[in-house]
Amino acid sequence: MRLFINIVFSVFTMFLVIALYNNKASWWMLLVVAVGWLLITGYGVVNIRSGYFLTALTANKTNTTGVVAITFDDGPNTNTLAILDILQKFNVRATFFCIGKQVEKHPDIAKKIIEQGHIIANHTQTHAQWIDLYGTQRFIDEIVMADQIIEKYTGKIPLLFRPPYGVTNPQIARAVNYTQHKVIGWNKRSFDTTIPSANVILKKITKNLKSGDVILLHDTKLITVGVLEQLLLFIKTNNLTPVTIDELFEIPAYA
């Protein structure tokens, strides 16, 4: 995807250079190139799968063994307990991208995530509303602080990281390059934070669900509890097997 984006932008630039060389450039052509650049860059910012600013693992397309990874963002909180109960009922392991300040609020739940065999990963310390506008050093601090809090309460130092909102930019790219975390995205977004219908959410996830897919859910949402049980029934019926992110991509989860 990144190669495609770069090719498109290169074509824009090539036409502009040719026009300038032939003295046929006009302001509208410059505007077209500028708008094209903004659209491409904007797409790269909001779509973690684009790989525009950094490499993120969003699906294992080469995997044909029938495994999928279920991931949860923004916890832990009290709702996480219901999620853990369902996962235990189905004997399924998942990956939890936890916010540092939430681990501080609910250390017992964070410990329970580990005790039940799930993977705990880094989702920054605060997940602030405008965190994607932070400078490089401040973003590094967010990642490092979350690592420290998670280690304090669980004894684990995460190597897996998911940026808040799935947003990427040059500052975040430099930050993860410094901390050496593996960036994890997704290719199956549930929209369980915005869609009020459990049935609609389930259909979005299960449509063309296949081996190697990574599912994004939020353990902070009550609606996700009902969706999860139906999702696990679907996965079982369709001969798929849930695994953790480190298993799916064959990478270490902890330092």
Side-chain angles (χ1 to χ4, degrees):
M1 180 61 77
R2 185 173 186 175
L3 177 62
F4 172 75
I5 291 172
N6 285 335
I7 289 172
V8 171
F9 185 66
S10 297
V11 171
F12 268 120
T13 306
M14 180 184 69
F15 278 117
L16 177 62
V17 170
I18 291 172
L20 287 170
Y21 182 77
N22 291 312
N23 295 318
K24 295 180 180 179
S26 61
W27 285 110
W28 72 265
M29 294 183 70
L30 294 173
L31 181 62
V32 167
V33 172
V35 170
W37 180 84
L38 287 173
L39 289 174
I40 291 170
T41 302
Y43 178 78
V45 168
V46 301
N47 191 332
I48 196 169
R49 287 185 289 168
S50 71
Y52 189 70
F53 296 106
L54 52 77
T55 299
L57 301 175
T58 58
N60 188 344
K61 295 181 180 179
T62 63
N63 188 292
T64 58
T65 63
V67 296
V68 295
I70 300 175
T71 67
F72 297 93
D73 282 10
D74 297 354
N77 73 4
T78 53
N79 198 60
T80 307
L81 294 172
I83 297 291
L84 289 173
D85 286 344
I86 294 172
L87 293 172
Q88 189 172 46
K89 174 182 174 181
F90 284 84
N91 193 29
V92 164
R93 303 291 174 263
T95 305
F96 290 79
F97 290 87
C98 294
I99 300 171
K101 68 177 184 180
Q102 290 300 114
V103 173
E104 287 183 293
K105 289 180 182 178
H106 305 284
D108 292 341
I109 300 177
K111 291 175 184 176
K112 192 170 184 178
I113 290 172
I114 298 298
E115 289 167 358
Q116 293 191 359
H118 307 291
I119 296 298
I120 195 166
N122 189 316
H123 201 40
T124 72
Q125 175 63 16
T126 65
H127 200 301
Q129 183 177 4
W130 302 108
I131 194 170
D132 48 295
L133 299 181
Y134 286 4
T136 301
Q137 186 56 55
R138 192 173 179 187
F139 207 92
I140 289 172
D141 293 343
E142 283 277 341
I143 298 173
V144 172
M145 287 173 64
D147 274 353
Q148 291 171 345
I149 293 299
I150 291 170
E151 182 186 15
K152 177 180 177 180
Y153 292 108
T154 71
K156 303 291 187 181
I157 304 175
L159 289 176
L160 309 180
F161 170 74
R162 177 173 284 165
Y165 315 110
V167 167
T168 62
N169 58 39
Q171 295 86 263
I172 295 173
R174 287 191 290 268
V176 294
N177 183 60
Y178 176 83
T179 64
Q180 290 296 291
H181 285 75
K182 288 286 187 183
V183 179
I184 308 299
W186 62 82
N187 70 323
K188 284 289 182 178
R189 186 172 186 173
S190 64
F191 290 95
D192 56 347
T193 58
T194 55
I195 296 175
S197 168
N199 287 333
V200 174
I201 293 170
L202 183 64
K203 287 178 181 178
K204 286 190 68 66
I205 301 170
T206 57
K207 184 178 180 181
N208 299 322
L209 185 65
K210 61 188 179 302
S211 181
D213 284 350
V214 177
I215 301 166
L216 170 63
L217 292 163
H218 294 80
D219 51 320
T220 55
K221 298 299 176 181
L222 182 60
I223 195 170
T224 306
V225 176
V227 170
L228 178 61
E229 185 147 12
Q230 294 303 310
L231 173 60
L232 292 176
L233 287 170
F234 176 91
I235 286 173
K236 184 178 181 180
T237 302
N238 287 270
N239 299 314
L240 295 170
T241 304
V243 296
T244 53
I245 285 292
D246 57 319
E247 292 176 301
L248 179 64
F249 293 107
E250 298 181 347
I251 55 176
Y254 304 117

